[in-house]
Amino acid sequence: PGTIALATADGQGKPSSRYVLLKGFDDEGLLFVSQTGSRKGQDLASNPFASASFYWQELRLQLHISGSVEKLSPAESDALFNDRPLASRAVSSVSVQGKELLDENVLNAQISDMISRGARLERPDRWVGYRVKPERFEFWQGGESRLHRRLEYTKDGATWSWRRVQP
């Protein structure tokens, strides 16, 4: 459950999905991180909505959550960045996610140099936390003969309503 399939769409509605680490959740939604220049960062800048899915194959369970997305505050992003292992912070400081890799040896040397110096690594401005603010939940449980159980919860203002939907 620590990994979610995150789907976004660009300003023209072209979808993109990938697996990301769920960094946590709070009363307002699900937290994940990325770089603003990455494909997902660019998608979210032009179309701030996403869908996140969890899948537990052994239990035949899925949970789908969709809603608007907002950037976390710099202090919240700093906390998530500083919670990462040193090597992960070094990679995030050096790498520009999604850009062409011209020389892997140069990238590795830059990362190794940062780690060996043991310097306090500051969060790059391009590395931010995001929050998916749920507007829809769907709980799905696989059933025999495709008679799946699906419960959908939708938010309208401050009110949540639910319904059972057909498989």
Side-chain angles (χ1 to χ4, degrees), residues 97-124:
Q97 192 176 42
K99 298 297 180 196
E100 183 179 4
L101 178 59
L102 300 176
D103 189 333
E104 187 172 358
N105 292 327
V106 170
L107 180 68
N108 286 330
Q110 291 172 327
I111 293 166
S112 294
D113 181 57
M114 289 190 115
I115 293 170
S116 67
R117 284 187 286 135
R120 171 128 169 90
L121 299 176
E122 299 295 324
R123 177 183 62 84

Side-chain angles (χ1 to χ4, degrees), residues 3-104:
T3 302
I4 56 176
L6 182 75
T8 58
D10 66 17
Q12 288 74 49
K14 293 179 182 174
S16 179
S17 64
R18 78 288 289 150
Y19 291 98
V20 299
L21 292 177
L22 176 66
K23 299 305 290 182
F25 59 91
D26 59 20
D27 290 344
E28 296 182 59
L30 304 173
L31 309 178
F32 68 94
V33 299
S34 187
Q35 290 190 13
T36 55
S38 69
R39 181 181 304 159
K40 69 183 148 307
Q42 292 176 17
D43 285 356
L44 293 170
S46 63
N47 185 8
F49 294 91
S51 177
S53 295
F54 296 88
Y55 179 51
W56 296 272
Q57 180 176 355
E58 298 80 8
L59 301 173
R60 297 178 64 178
L61 293 174
Q62 297 179 46
L63 170 58
H64 307 284
I65 302 168
S66 57
S68 61
V69 177
E70 66 182 13
K71 283 185 186 177
L72 298 180
S73 71
E76 291 171 304
S77 292
D78 287 345
L80 290 173
F81 184 79
N82 292 327
D83 192 43
R84 303 176 87 200
L86 176 60
S88 295
R89 291 190 314 253
V91 170
S92 296
S93 295
V94 173
S95 173
V96 180
Q97 192 176 42
K99 298 297 180 196
E100 183 179 4
L101 178 59
L102 300 176
D103 189 333
E104 187 172 358

Side-chain angles (χ1 to χ4, degrees), residues 60 62 138-151 164-167:
R60 297 178 64 178
Q62 297 179 46
E138 181 183 328
F139 296 90
W140 179 97
Q141 182 170 22
E144 296 299 319
S145 301
R146 296 195 40 83
L147 187 57
H148 310 309
R149 182 179 181 122
R150 295 174 60 200
L151 301 175
R164 184 154 181 202
V165 295
Q166 295 188 33

